[in-house]
Amino acid sequence: MKKALCASVALATMALATTPAYAGTAELLKRLHEKGILSDEEYAELLAEENKPSPAAAAPSGDTMTRATESVDSSRMVRMASSGIGLEVGPATITFSGSVNGFYVHDNPATPTARTAVTGGIASVGSNNSSAIRNGLLPGFLKVSVAAKQSGWDVGATFGMYPGINSTAYGALGANNGGQPTALATAGIDFRQTFMTFGKPNVGTFKIGRDIGLFASEAILNDITLLSSGTPGNNVAPGNTTLGRIGVGYIYTDFQPQITYTSPNFKGLQASVGVFQPLSSLTGPAESNSAPGFQGKVTYDGKFGDVAARLWVSGITQKHDLVGGGEYTGSGVDFGGKVTVGPVTATGYYYTASGLGTTVLGLFDTGAPQTGPGIAKRDSSGFYAQALATFGKLSVGGSYGESRLDYASNADRLANPNLLDVNSSYVGQVRYGLTSWVTLIGEYVHSKAVAHSGNKAESDAVAVGGILFF
């Protein structure tokens, strides 16, 4: 009972204090007694505890606040976090962060002919326009992180929930399945992050759990369409997200189970390497993989006079064991850089891969079309270039990108005449920082898909909306 009362006193201190400094404990007990929060018996008991001689009473003069609160068990104390949105509970810091966004997206297929079949194309087809109120490339998210220092180690845990605003038709892809724009349907929650970390400044950091991958992560994190729409994808029945530049300049990195290690920062240079859950292709033959996947990334951040730069290179490799016999290894490498000079930030990115695929379904999809020993692999490549200029609260930007896919063999060519040759898009974007949390965004996107057969599809889209971060 006594411990519970002490904890109540600590919590009440937060509620009643009118300045960042704590009131004296005896005075606080008096105020709680006067307000009827403490009974006569509880007040007398706690006051007696407060008046007991302690080592603190004989200590030399020091911080008054520290001496006044030494009788309260600090492991039970709740305090406001020193930064961000959160609180400190005993030795742990709990922080909350999140985002909400929504856009009106109008998509207009611009190819009126029947020759629009492109396997793996990202441009909308058909004769009808479509309108949607939907998420952009990001769904919403709520992240909760807990951090503490224990036995000399910095330890932490993160949970990240990513709900969309559109209703989802649950299937093989879970919350990332196609949309279901009907009454009484429900939105999907993509629980992308569940991981723990432990490390030391001079040792580095280990991560175990589910989080964003290493390969191609810089491509999407530096893409200006990350905060907006980019290519809409299925705008008639929108799912959790649009496509942004996924499949139109880079392959989606995805959030994957992993054990990774990140080195200390050596004057701007940092490296990460990880062992990953092996992924089976969604569109290929059944797999029973015996070995994990591997990914790595190296980044460099530096400043040269008035020029700030971030450079990176990353790679991925994974062996695929097919249930029907045969095997192949999918692999890829990418590199890029971001340079900021005055109000302008320019970004360039390139990737090349074999057996990794290039379209929007994810890593390794469309990477290998055949089965059996000596399986052939499709090569792929892509790039994007962009610039964003910021003047006060107003930013204006643009980007262009392509993703290409090659046939694995003549047999592949004969079997898949309408296979994608190249996806491309260009984007024009305007942002306005309404507040430190809210950014309003307007965007125009032209998307184009061309097959090896010559078939093509084009579409034009306009997106207007906003995104909030806290």
Side-chain angles (χ1 to χ4, degrees):
M1 180 66 181
K2 188 182 299 182
K3 290 185 177 180
L5 290 173
C6 288
S8 299
V9 171
L11 290 169
T13 303
M14 286 174 41
L16 295 178
T18 57
T19 69
Y22 291 95
T25 307
E27 179 63 22
L28 175 59
L29 292 174
K30 179 181 178 182
R31 292 172 63 185
L32 293 175
H33 180 238
E34 291 172 348
K35 291 177 178 290
I37 297 174
L38 296 176
S39 67
D40 293 343
E41 182 180 354
E42 291 167 343
Y43 172 63
E45 183 179 4
L46 288 171
L47 188 61
E49 283 287 331
E50 170 62 17
N51 291 331
K52 280 184 178 179
S54 68
S61 59
D63 184 88
T64 304
M65 181 185 73
T66 302
R67 294 201 313 273
T69 58
E70 277 180 344
S71 63
V72 180
D73 185 355
S74 62
S75 67
R76 297 175 176 271
M77 187 172 291
V78 178
R79 301 173 296 277
M80 181 178 69
S82 58
S83 63
I85 297 178
L87 64 159
E88 296 179 6
V89 182
T93 299
I94 304 174
T95 56
F96 302 88
S97 61
S99 178
V100 178
N101 74 80
F103 295 87
Y104 168 76
V105 180
H106 183 81
D107 193 21
N108 176 22
T111 310
T113 68
R115 298 181 65 239
T116 59
V118 182
T119 304
I122 48 82
S124 300
V125 297
S127 57
N128 295 326
N129 299 342
S130 64
S131 294
I133 307 297
R134 61 182 301 179
N135 284 115
L137 178 53
L138 277 177
F141 67 81
L142 175 63
K143 290 171 60 177
V144 181
S145 298
V146 181
K149 184 176 285 292
Q150 298 179 343
S151 302
W153 290 86
D154 296 314
V155 299
T158 296
F159 303 91
M161 299 167 284
Y162 289 71
I165 65 173
N166 293 94
S167 299
T168 298
Y170 275 88
L173 301 180
N176 293 316
N177 225 61
Q180 184 176 322
T182 61
L184 304 181
T186 59
I189 299 178
D190 181 0
F191 215 121
R192 297 185 181 183
Q193 293 174 299
T194 310
F195 64 87
M196 59 174 280
T197 59
F198 58 94
K200 295 181 179 182
N202 61 336
V203 173
T205 301
F206 297 87
K207 178 191 297 181
I208 302 175
R210 184 186 185 95
D211 195 18
I212 194 169
L214 299 177
F215 174 75
S217 59
E218 294 291 328
I220 191 169
L221 294 176
N222 289 286
D223 177 12
I224 61 172
T225 70
L226 179 64
L227 305 187
S228 57
S229 170
T231 299
N234 186 6
N235 203 51
V236 175
N240 256 20
T241 69
T242 59
L243 298 180
R245 280 213 167 279
I246 298 173
V248 205
Y250 55 80
I251 301 172
Y252 181 47
T253 179
D254 214 340
F255 286 74
Q256 307 167 54
Q258 59 188 272
I259 300 175
T260 58
Y261 165 75
T262 299
S263 72
N265 191 310
F266 300 103
K267 298 182 178 180
L269 187 67
Q270 198 162 31
S272 299
V273 63
V275 180
F276 286 72
Q277 162 70 29
L279 299 177
S280 298
S281 170
L282 280 166
T283 57
E287 300 179 21
S288 179
N289 297 313
S290 59
F294 300 93
Q295 297 183 34
K297 181 173 71 171
V298 177
T299 61
Y300 174 75
D301 291 283
K303 193 164 185 180
F304 310 92
D306 295 330
V307 179
R310 179 174 177 84
L311 308 174
W312 67 86
V313 59
S314 67
I316 182 173
T317 185
Q318 182 193 314
K319 180 185 173 186
H320 297 257
D321 300 311
L322 307 183
V323 172
E327 63 182 43
Y328 73 96
T329 297
S331 58
V333 63
D334 70 353
F335 57 87
K338 180 174 67 175
V339 177
T340 300
V341 183
V344 179
T345 298
T347 304
Y349 172 82
Y350 177 81
Y351 77 89
T352 181
S354 180
L356 195 61
T358 195
T359 56
V360 300
L361 287 178
L363 292 166
F364 303 110
D365 289 307
T366 70
Q370 301 174 346
T371 60
I375 187 170
K377 297 182 290 186
R378 291 170 175 161
D379 293 335
S380 58
S381 62
F383 73 91
Y384 76 81
Q386 71 181 29
L388 184 70
T390 300
F391 308 97
K393 292 187 174 185
L394 184 68
S395 298
V396 180
S399 70
Y400 176 81
E402 295 182 359
S403 286
R404 295 182 173 272
L405 185 64
D406 296 333
Y407 282 118
S409 63
N410 287 330
D412 187 18
R413 184 185 301 274
L414 292 173
N416 302 285
N418 294 325
L419 181 70
L420 171 75
D421 182 14
V422 56
N423 280 325
S424 64
S425 73
Y426 56 80
V427 176
Q429 186 183 101
V430 178
R431 303 179 184 176
Y432 179 76
L434 184 66
T435 72
S436 60
W437 285 16
V438 178
T439 300
L440 305 179
I441 302 175
E443 189 173 69
Y444 166 74
V445 184
H446 178 78
S447 304
K448 183 177 181 180
V450 180
H452 285 276
S453 65
N455 284 5
K456 68 177 182 179
E458 297 182 65
S459 60
D460 296 282
V462 174
V464 179
I467 187 167
L468 176 150
F469 289 97
F470 67 87

PDB file of all heavy atoms in Angstrom, residues 205-233:
ATOM      1  N   THR A 205      25.382  -1.312 -33.954  1.00  0.00           N
ATOM      2  CA  THR A 205      24.030  -1.671 -33.529  1.00  0.00           C
ATOM      3  C   THR A 205      23.563  -2.932 -34.233  1.00  0.00           C
ATOM      4  O   THR A 205      23.724  -3.081 -35.453  1.00  0.00           O
ATOM      5  CB  THR A 205      23.044  -0.528 -33.842  1.00  0.00           C
ATOM      6  OG1 THR A 205      23.467   0.652 -33.158  1.00  0.00           O
ATOM      7  CG2 THR A 205      21.639  -0.883 -33.399  1.00  0.00           C
ATOM      8  N   PHE A 206      22.978  -3.836 -33.461  1.00  0.00           N
ATOM      9  CA  PHE A 206      22.383  -5.059 -33.993  1.00  0.00           C
ATOM     10  C   PHE A 206      20.863  -4.901 -33.995  1.00  0.00           C
ATOM     11  O   PHE A 206      20.283  -4.357 -33.045  1.00  0.00           O
ATOM     12  CB  PHE A 206      22.781  -6.268 -33.151  1.00  0.00           C
ATOM     13  CG  PHE A 206      24.256  -6.554 -33.159  1.00  0.00           C
ATOM     14  CD1 PHE A 206      25.104  -5.924 -32.244  1.00  0.00           C
ATOM     15  CD2 PHE A 206      24.795  -7.442 -34.082  1.00  0.00           C
ATOM     16  CE1 PHE A 206      26.469  -6.193 -32.248  1.00  0.00           C
ATOM     17  CE2 PHE A 206      26.153  -7.702 -34.082  1.00  0.00           C
ATOM     18  CZ  PHE A 206      26.991  -7.079 -33.176  1.00  0.00           C
ATOM     19  N   LYS A 207      20.228  -5.390 -35.043  1.00  0.00           N
ATOM     20  CA  LYS A 207      18.772  -5.325 -35.164  1.00  0.00           C
ATOM     21  C   LYS A 207      18.241  -6.721 -35.449  1.00  0.00           C
ATOM     22  O   LYS A 207      18.759  -7.443 -36.311  1.00  0.00           O
ATOM     23  CB  LYS A 207      18.367  -4.387 -36.307  1.00  0.00           C
ATOM     24  CG  LYS A 207      16.863  -4.295 -36.534  1.00  0.00           C
ATOM     25  CD  LYS A 207      16.530  -3.567 -37.836  1.00  0.00           C
ATOM     26  CE  LYS A 207      17.002  -2.139 -37.805  1.00  0.00           C
ATOM     27  NZ  LYS A 207      16.645  -1.423 -39.058  1.00  0.00           N
ATOM     28  N   ILE A 208      17.193  -7.106 -34.733  1.00  0.00           N
ATOM     29  CA  ILE A 208      16.537  -8.398 -34.935  1.00  0.00           C
ATOM     30  C   ILE A 208      15.038  -8.159 -35.027  1.00  0.00           C
ATOM     31  O   ILE A 208      14.433  -7.582 -34.115  1.00  0.00           O
ATOM     32  CB  ILE A 208      16.835  -9.372 -33.777  1.00  0.00           C
ATOM     33  CG1 ILE A 208      18.340  -9.592 -33.609  1.00  0.00           C
ATOM     34  CG2 ILE A 208      16.129 -10.708 -34.007  1.00  0.00           C
ATOM     35  CD1 ILE A 208      18.703 -10.446 -32.409  1.00  0.00           C
ATOM     36  N   GLY A 209      14.423  -8.576 -36.126  1.00  0.00           N
ATOM     37  CA  GLY A 209      12.988  -8.406 -36.275  1.00  0.00           C
ATOM     38  C   GLY A 209      12.607  -8.065 -37.700  1.00  0.00           C
ATOM     39  O   GLY A 209      13.299  -8.427 -38.652  1.00  0.00           O
ATOM     40  N   ARG A 210      11.506  -7.348 -37.858  1.00  0.00           N
ATOM     41  CA  ARG A 210      10.982  -6.979 -39.181  1.00  0.00           C
ATOM     42  C   ARG A 210      11.104  -5.469 -39.359  1.00  0.00           C
ATOM     43  O   ARG A 210      10.578  -4.692 -38.563  1.00  0.00           O
ATOM     44  CB  ARG A 210       9.513  -7.395 -39.316  1.00  0.00           C
ATOM     45  CG  ARG A 210       8.907  -7.131 -40.710  1.00  0.00           C
ATOM     46  CD  ARG A 210       7.423  -7.444 -40.718  1.00  0.00           C
ATOM     47  NE  ARG A 210       6.864  -7.302 -42.053  1.00  0.00           N
ATOM     48  CZ  ARG A 210       6.713  -8.298 -42.917  1.00  0.00           C
ATOM     49  NH1 ARG A 210       7.074  -9.520 -42.568  1.00  0.00           N
ATOM     50  NH2 ARG A 210       6.186  -8.083 -44.107  1.00  0.00           N
ATOM     51  N   ASP A 211      11.800  -5.065 -40.431  1.00  0.00           N
ATOM     52  CA  ASP A 211      11.974  -3.642 -40.728  1.00  0.00           C
ATOM     53  C   ASP A 211      12.299  -3.503 -42.207  1.00  0.00           C
ATOM     54  O   ASP A 211      12.409  -4.488 -42.946  1.00  0.00           O
ATOM     55  CB  ASP A 211      13.097  -3.064 -39.856  1.00  0.00           C
ATOM     56  CG  ASP A 211      13.080  -1.538 -39.836  1.00  0.00           C
ATOM     57  OD1 ASP A 211      12.036  -0.940 -40.187  1.00  0.00           O
ATOM     58  OD2 ASP A 211      14.102  -0.930 -39.478  1.00  0.00           O
ATOM     59  N   ILE A 212      12.486  -2.269 -42.657  1.00  0.00           N
ATOM     60  CA  ILE A 212      12.788  -2.008 -44.053  1.00  0.00           C
ATOM     61  C   ILE A 212      14.099  -2.685 -44.441  1.00  0.00           C
ATOM     62  O   ILE A 212      15.021  -2.800 -43.632  1.00  0.00           O
ATOM     63  CB  ILE A 212      12.855  -0.485 -44.307  1.00  0.00           C
ATOM     64  CG1 ILE A 212      12.819  -0.179 -45.812  1.00  0.00           C
ATOM     65  CG2 ILE A 212      14.061   0.146 -43.630  1.00  0.00           C
ATOM     66  CD1 ILE A 212      12.606   1.302 -46.114  1.00  0.00           C
ATOM     67  N   GLY A 213      14.173  -3.171 -45.690  1.00  0.00           N
ATOM     68  CA  GLY A 213      15.371  -3.831 -46.165  1.00  0.00           C
ATOM     69  C   GLY A 213      16.512  -2.861 -46.401  1.00  0.00           C
ATOM     70  O   GLY A 213      16.368  -1.643 -46.271  1.00  0.00           O
ATOM     71  N   LEU A 214      17.664  -3.404 -46.782  1.00  0.00           N
ATOM     72  CA  LEU A 214      18.838  -2.580 -47.071  1.00  0.00           C
ATOM     73  C   LEU A 214      18.917  -2.226 -48.550  1.00  0.00           C
ATOM     74  O   LEU A 214      19.094  -1.059 -48.903  1.00  0.00           O
ATOM     75  CB  LEU A 214      20.114  -3.311 -46.632  1.00  0.00           C
ATOM     76  CG  LEU A 214      20.222  -3.649 -45.143  1.00  0.00           C
ATOM     77  CD1 LEU A 214      21.503  -4.441 -44.876  1.00  0.00           C
ATOM     78  CD2 LEU A 214      20.183  -2.386 -44.293  1.00  0.00           C
ATOM     79  N   PHE A 215      18.776  -3.223 -49.427  1.00  0.00           N
ATOM     80  CA  PHE A 215      18.841  -2.970 -50.863  1.00  0.00           C
ATOM     81  C   PHE A 215      17.663  -2.098 -51.307  1.00  0.00           C
ATOM     82  O   PHE A 215      16.517  -2.372 -50.979  1.00  0.00           O
ATOM     83  CB  PHE A 215      18.825  -4.284 -51.647  1.00  0.00           C
ATOM     84  CG  PHE A 215      18.736  -4.083 -53.138  1.00  0.00           C
ATOM     85  CD1 PHE A 215      19.838  -3.663 -53.864  1.00  0.00           C
ATOM     86  CD2 PHE A 215      17.541  -4.297 -53.808  1.00  0.00           C
ATOM     87  CE1 PHE A 215      19.764  -3.470 -55.240  1.00  0.00           C
ATOM     88  CE2 PHE A 215      17.450  -4.112 -55.175  1.00  0.00           C
ATOM     89  CZ  PHE A 215      18.561  -3.687 -55.897  1.00  0.00           C
ATOM     90  N   ALA A 216      17.972  -1.041 -52.038  1.00  0.00           N
ATOM     91  CA  ALA A 216      16.981  -0.124 -52.632  1.00  0.00           C
ATOM     92  C   ALA A 216      16.235   0.729 -51.603  1.00  0.00           C
ATOM     93  O   ALA A 216      15.329   1.472 -51.963  1.00  0.00           O
ATOM     94  CB  ALA A 216      15.975  -0.874 -53.504  1.00  0.00           C
ATOM     95  N   SER A 217      16.624   0.647 -50.323  1.00  0.00           N
ATOM     96  CA  SER A 217      15.928   1.466 -49.324  1.00  0.00           C
ATOM     97  C   SER A 217      16.189   2.952 -49.537  1.00  0.00           C
ATOM     98  O   SER A 217      15.294   3.789 -49.366  1.00  0.00           O
ATOM     99  CB  SER A 217      16.341   1.055 -47.910  1.00  0.00           C
ATOM    100  OG  SER A 217      17.740   1.201 -47.720  1.00  0.00           O
ATOM    101  N   GLU A 218      17.417   3.306 -49.915  1.00  0.00           N
ATOM    102  CA  GLU A 218      17.723   4.717 -50.148  1.00  0.00           C
ATOM    103  C   GLU A 218      16.948   5.262 -51.341  1.00  0.00           C
ATOM    104  O   GLU A 218      16.609   6.446 -51.379  1.00  0.00           O
ATOM    105  CB  GLU A 218      19.228   4.900 -50.377  1.00  0.00           C
ATOM    106  CG  GLU A 218      20.094   4.602 -49.169  1.00  0.00           C
ATOM    107  CD  GLU A 218      19.930   5.625 -48.061  1.00  0.00           C
ATOM    108  OE1 GLU A 218      19.676   6.802 -48.359  1.00  0.00           O
ATOM    109  OE2 GLU A 218      20.072   5.241 -46.889  1.00  0.00           O
ATOM    110  N   ALA A 219      16.662   4.410 -52.323  1.00  0.00           N
ATOM    111  CA  ALA A 219      15.921   4.852 -53.509  1.00  0.00           C
ATOM    112  C   ALA A 219      14.547   5.380 -53.135  1.00  0.00           C
ATOM    113  O   ALA A 219      14.135   6.454 -53.580  1.00  0.00           O
ATOM    114  CB  ALA A 219      15.802   3.708 -54.504  1.00  0.00           C
ATOM    115  N   ILE A 220      13.818   4.645 -52.305  1.00  0.00           N
ATOM    116  CA  ILE A 220      12.468   5.074 -51.952  1.00  0.00           C
ATOM    117  C   ILE A 220      12.474   6.164 -50.881  1.00  0.00           C
ATOM    118  O   ILE A 220      11.648   7.078 -50.910  1.00  0.00           O
ATOM    119  CB  ILE A 220      11.613   3.866 -51.500  1.00  0.00           C
ATOM    120  CG1 ILE A 220      10.129   4.276 -51.388  1.00  0.00           C
ATOM    121  CG2 ILE A 220      12.118   3.273 -50.201  1.00  0.00           C
ATOM    122  CD1 ILE A 220       9.198   3.103 -51.203  1.00  0.00           C
ATOM    123  N   LEU A 221      13.440   6.117 -49.963  1.00  0.00           N
ATOM    124  CA  LEU A 221      13.468   7.111 -48.892  1.00  0.00           C
ATOM    125  C   LEU A 221      13.847   8.501 -49.398  1.00  0.00           C
ATOM    126  O   LEU A 221      13.537   9.504 -48.760  1.00  0.00           O
ATOM    127  CB  LEU A 221      14.437   6.675 -47.790  1.00  0.00           C
ATOM    128  CG  LEU A 221      14.031   5.415 -47.017  1.00  0.00           C
ATOM    129  CD1 LEU A 221      15.114   5.021 -46.028  1.00  0.00           C
ATOM    130  CD2 LEU A 221      12.699   5.614 -46.308  1.00  0.00           C
ATOM    131  N   ASN A 222      14.524   8.571 -50.555  1.00  0.00           N
ATOM    132  CA  ASN A 222      14.904   9.861 -51.127  1.00  0.00           C
ATOM    133  C   ASN A 222      14.024  10.283 -52.296  1.00  0.00           C
ATOM    134  O   ASN A 222      14.255  11.330 -52.903  1.00  0.00           O
ATOM    135  CB  ASN A 222      16.367   9.814 -51.574  1.00  0.00           C
ATOM    136  CG  ASN A 222      17.332   9.779 -50.407  1.00  0.00           C
ATOM    137  OD1 ASN A 222      17.553  10.774 -49.729  1.00  0.00           O
ATOM    138  ND2 ASN A 222      17.898   8.601 -50.153  1.00  0.00           N
ATOM    139  N   ASP A 223      13.027   9.499 -52.616  1.00  0.00           N
ATOM    140  CA  ASP A 223      12.109   9.776 -53.725  1.00  0.00           C
ATOM    141  C   ASP A 223      11.116  10.863 -53.316  1.00  0.00           C
ATOM    142  O   ASP A 223      10.473  10.760 -52.267  1.00  0.00           O
ATOM    143  CB  ASP A 223      11.383   8.477 -54.073  1.00  0.00           C
ATOM    144  CG  ASP A 223      10.340   8.635 -55.153  1.00  0.00           C
ATOM    145  OD1 ASP A 223      10.307   9.691 -55.824  1.00  0.00           O
ATOM    146  OD2 ASP A 223       9.557   7.685 -55.329  1.00  0.00           O
ATOM    147  N   ILE A 224      10.942  11.915 -54.141  1.00  0.00           N
ATOM    148  CA  ILE A 224      10.010  12.985 -53.769  1.00  0.00           C
ATOM    149  C   ILE A 224       8.556  12.511 -53.777  1.00  0.00           C
ATOM    150  O   ILE A 224       7.701  13.116 -53.113  1.00  0.00           O
ATOM    151  CB  ILE A 224      10.153  14.236 -54.670  1.00  0.00           C
ATOM    152  CG1 ILE A 224       9.856  13.903 -56.134  1.00  0.00           C
ATOM    153  CG2 ILE A 224      11.503  14.883 -54.502  1.00  0.00           C
ATOM    154  CD1 ILE A 224       9.793  15.134 -57.034  1.00  0.00           C
ATOM    155  N   THR A 225       8.241  11.422 -54.494  1.00  0.00           N
ATOM    156  CA  THR A 225       6.864  10.931 -54.484  1.00  0.00           C
ATOM    157  C   THR A 225       6.547  10.129 -53.222  1.00  0.00           C
ATOM    158  O   THR A 225       5.405   9.705 -53.034  1.00  0.00           O
ATOM    159  CB  THR A 225       6.570  10.059 -55.720  1.00  0.00           C
ATOM    160  OG1 THR A 225       7.279   8.826 -55.633  1.00  0.00           O
ATOM    161  CG2 THR A 225       6.932  10.779 -56.999  1.00  0.00           C
ATOM    162  N   LEU A 226       7.542   9.913 -52.344  1.00  0.00           N
ATOM    163  CA  LEU A 226       7.271   9.220 -51.089  1.00  0.00           C
ATOM    164  C   LEU A 226       6.211   9.955 -50.280  1.00  0.00           C
ATOM    165  O   LEU A 226       5.413   9.341 -49.562  1.00  0.00           O
ATOM    166  CB  LEU A 226       8.559   9.092 -50.267  1.00  0.00           C
ATOM    167  CG  LEU A 226       8.443   8.397 -48.909  1.00  0.00           C
ATOM    168  CD1 LEU A 226       8.038   6.932 -49.086  1.00  0.00           C
ATOM    169  CD2 LEU A 226       9.744   8.485 -48.132  1.00  0.00           C
ATOM    170  N   LEU A 227       6.208  11.291 -50.367  1.00  0.00           N
ATOM    171  CA  LEU A 227       5.246  12.083 -49.602  1.00  0.00           C
ATOM    172  C   LEU A 227       3.981  12.377 -50.384  1.00  0.00           C
ATOM    173  O   LEU A 227       3.080  13.039 -49.869  1.00  0.00           O
ATOM    174  CB  LEU A 227       5.889  13.402 -49.159  1.00  0.00           C
ATOM    175  CG  LEU A 227       7.197  13.306 -48.365  1.00  0.00           C
ATOM    176  CD1 LEU A 227       7.596  14.688 -47.866  1.00  0.00           C
ATOM    177  CD2 LEU A 227       7.062  12.338 -47.207  1.00  0.00           C
ATOM    178  N   SER A 228       3.912  11.909 -51.634  1.00  0.00           N
ATOM    179  CA  SER A 228       2.756  12.249 -52.471  1.00  0.00           C
ATOM    180  C   SER A 228       2.204  10.985 -53.119  1.00  0.00           C
ATOM    181  O   SER A 228       2.093   9.950 -52.467  1.00  0.00           O
ATOM    182  CB  SER A 228       3.176  13.287 -53.514  1.00  0.00           C
ATOM    183  OG  SER A 228       4.260  12.805 -54.293  1.00  0.00           O
ATOM    184  N   SER A 229       1.859  11.049 -54.402  1.00  0.00           N
ATOM    185  CA  SER A 229       1.206   9.933 -55.074  1.00  0.00           C
ATOM    186  C   SER A 229       2.110   9.217 -56.059  1.00  0.00           C
ATOM    187  O   SER A 229       2.297   8.014 -55.969  1.00  0.00           O
ATOM    188  CB  SER A 229      -0.057  10.424 -55.801  1.00  0.00           C
ATOM    189  OG  SER A 229      -0.578   9.432 -56.644  1.00  0.00           O
ATOM    190  N   GLY A 230       2.684   9.926 -57.022  1.00  0.00           N
ATOM    191  CA  GLY A 230       3.363   9.253 -58.108  1.00  0.00           C
ATOM    192  C   GLY A 230       2.353   8.497 -58.955  1.00  0.00           C
ATOM    193  O   GLY A 230       1.160   8.814 -58.977  1.00  0.00           O
ATOM    194  N   THR A 231       2.799   7.455 -59.662  1.00  0.00           N
ATOM    195  CA  THR A 231       1.888   6.660 -60.490  1.00  0.00           C
ATOM    196  C   THR A 231       0.804   6.039 -59.613  1.00  0.00           C
ATOM    197  O   THR A 231       1.109   5.365 -58.625  1.00  0.00           O
ATOM    198  CB  THR A 231       2.673   5.564 -61.229  1.00  0.00           C
ATOM    199  OG1 THR A 231       3.634   6.175 -62.084  1.00  0.00           O
ATOM    200  CG2 THR A 231       1.736   4.705 -62.053  1.00  0.00           C
ATOM    201  N   PRO A 232      -0.495   6.237 -59.951  1.00  0.00           N
ATOM    202  CA  PRO A 232      -1.566   5.787 -59.053  1.00  0.00           C
ATOM    203  C   PRO A 232      -1.703   4.279 -58.930  1.00  0.00           C
ATOM    204  O   PRO A 232      -2.097   3.777 -57.883  1.00  0.00           O
ATOM    205  CB  PRO A 232      -2.835   6.384 -59.688  1.00  0.00           C
ATOM    206  CG  PRO A 232      -2.361   7.482 -60.556  1.00  0.00           C
ATOM    207  CD  PRO A 232      -1.017   7.060 -61.050  1.00  0.00           C
ATOM    208  N   GLY A 233      -1.400   3.508 -60.008  1.00  0.00           N
ATOM    209  CA  GLY A 233      -1.728   2.089 -59.958  1.00  0.00           C
ATOM    210  C   GLY A 233      -3.220   1.924 -60.166  1.00  0.00           C
ATOM    211  O   GLY A 233      -3.824   2.601 -61.007  1.00  0.00           O
TER     212      GLY A 233
END
